[in-house]
């Protein structure tokens, strides 16, 4: 590596799903048709009520900096969302608006991690988590989890992997890439472990709202000491607006706000005013209709993939993904994904994007495209494997 560049770059891996998406778009530009099941981005456009709220804010001249923690109206709206959807009283002062969930991850890395310290997280899991820690000279301490764990981290396993330099635990529910949730009991046990170890608990809840067969409880119903990351990208369908939020214990907020002032100055003003409409009754009805469509896509794709020999032991309760074993196909994840994309027009994500444990034996399917396109992908797969 060029010696002008920082050593940490060697430890920050490419986000392969973006590379797959880029290649699929190159093939499309050359006239090749691909079914896109690689990116975790809902295919629906942002709901009209949200777009119209953004336009109205521009017409009002709302184009200046906002407070670093976000406009008060949006922090209050999110507080009300927790009250109506979860029955929780979360003070608006505990809610920080961030530039996507990624902005919240950066703030938490800066808040909690000293050089040489780390946090436990699942392997497989969302890859950027460990890279944010590396940015502040920390480490993601990967804990292998498999189907027998429902791909989630138990308190028992977390205690087994806890190290002297471990500062806490980061989990996601529903999880990427597996769609599995943590029950209230599991969340309580993780919280109790962190309390006993004097560590912090971070729960990524960005797929809340996209849970289908069972509720995804919030850690906020158990404790006010945990940190919660959420986003307007997934359930609310605002990926390109780059807006998220972070719920933190009261004593952490001044430190988070100080960093936000330095790192971001403020979030997108237009996106914040647009997001106020995300909680309107009309908007929520449409978002719930879309959620039902995602469930229908999952219910079509899951049995179809199983029939073709992909190993999916559990029906995932949430998110947008099926994490599938590929042992039957006698190849690696990377090779399978490359072959499917280049030769058969099917874009999926290799397991190597999500960690190391059994990564070469898994791929991720995202049901973020229409049912007609999923049916086309299954037809192409049946020609190969049926």
């Amino acid at each position: 590596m060029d010696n002008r560049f920082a050593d940490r770059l060697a430890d920050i891996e490419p986000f392969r799903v973006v590379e797959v998406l880029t290649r699929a778009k190159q093939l499309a530009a050359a006239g090749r048709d691909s079914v896109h099941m690689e990116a975790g981005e809902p295919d629906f456009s942002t709901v009209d009520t949200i777009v119209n709220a953004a336009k109205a804010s521009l017409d009002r001249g709302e184009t200046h900096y906002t407070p670093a923690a976000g406009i008060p109206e949006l922090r209050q709206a999110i507080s009300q969302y927790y009250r109506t959807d979860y029955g929780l009283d979360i003070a608006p002062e505990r809610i920080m608006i961030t530039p996507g969930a990624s902005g919240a991850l950066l703030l938490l890395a800066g808040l909690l991690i000293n050089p040489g310290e780390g946090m436990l997280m699942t392997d497989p899991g969302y890859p950027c988590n460990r890279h944010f820690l590396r940015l502040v000279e920390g480490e993601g301490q990967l804990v292998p989890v498999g189907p027998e764990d429902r791909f989630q981290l138990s308190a028992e396993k977390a205690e087994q992997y806890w190290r002297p330099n471990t500062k806490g635990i980061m989990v996601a529910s529903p999880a990427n890439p597996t769609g599995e949730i943590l029950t209230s009991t599991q969340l309580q046990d993780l919280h109790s472990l962190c309390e006993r170890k004097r560590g912090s608990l971070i729960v990524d809840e960005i797929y809340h709202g996209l849970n289908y067969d069972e509720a995804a409880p919030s850690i906020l119903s158990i404790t006010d000491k945990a940190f919660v990351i959420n986003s307007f990208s997934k359930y609310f369908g605002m990926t390109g607006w780059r807006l998220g939020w972070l719920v933190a214990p009261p004593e952490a907020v001044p430190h988070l706000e100080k960093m936000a002032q330095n790192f971001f100055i403020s979030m997108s003003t237009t996106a914040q005013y647009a997001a106020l409409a995300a909680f309107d009754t009309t908007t929520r009805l449409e978002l719930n209709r879309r959620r039902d469509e995602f469930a229908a896509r999952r219910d079509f794709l899951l049995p179809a993939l199983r029939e073709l020999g992909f190993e999916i032991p559990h029906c995932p309760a949430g998110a947008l993904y099926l994490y599938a074993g590929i042992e039957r196909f006698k190849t690696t994840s990377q090779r399978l994904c490359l072959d499917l994309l280049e030769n058969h027009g099917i874009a999926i994500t290799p397991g190597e994007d999500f960690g190391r444990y059994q990564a070469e034996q898994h791929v991720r399917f995202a049901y973020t495209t229409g049912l007609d396109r999923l049916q086309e992908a299954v037809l192409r797969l049946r020609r190969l494997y049926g």
Side-chain angles (χ1 to χ4, degrees), residues 312-331:
I312 309 170
H314 310 121
C315 179
L320 300 164
Y321 313 114
L322 297 172
Y323 194 61
I326 59 169
E327 185 176 357
R328 176 205 160 178
F329 306 107
K330 307 303 180 185
T331 186

Side-chain angles (χ1 to χ4, degrees), residues 342-374:
E342 296 289 344
N343 300 318
H344 307 285
I346 301 169
I348 59 176
T349 307
E352 286 90 340
D353 220 10
F354 306 105
R356 303 181 181 92
Y357 182 62
Q358 300 181 345
E360 290 191 349
Q361 303 167 35
H362 286 83
V363 295
R364 188 192 74 176
F365 291 83
Y367 43 91
T368 49
T369 191
L371 192 56
D372 59 330
R373 297 297 287 161
L374 297 180

Side-chain angles (χ1 to χ4, degrees), residues 80-91:
Q80 182 61 35
Y81 165 70
Y82 279 110
R83 187 171 293 110
T84 57
D85 279 48
Y86 296 87
L88 298 174
D89 185 14
I90 307 298

Side-chain angles (χ1 to χ4, degrees), residues 9-58:
L9 295 178
D11 299 323
I12 297 177
E13 302 169 31
F15 202 178
R16 293 177 184 87
V17 66
V18 176
E19 295 182 334
V20 173
L21 180 61
T22 299
R23 179 57 181 155
K25 289 182 176 179
Q26 290 172 348
L27 293 172
R32 299 265 302 278
D33 175 61
S34 297
V35 181
H36 292 280
M37 294 187 289
E38 72 276 37
E41 179 174 26
D43 55 325
F44 300 106
S45 298
T46 301
V47 178
D48 287 345
T49 49
I50 298 174
V51 174
N52 291 336
K55 293 176 180 177
S57 75
L58 292 171

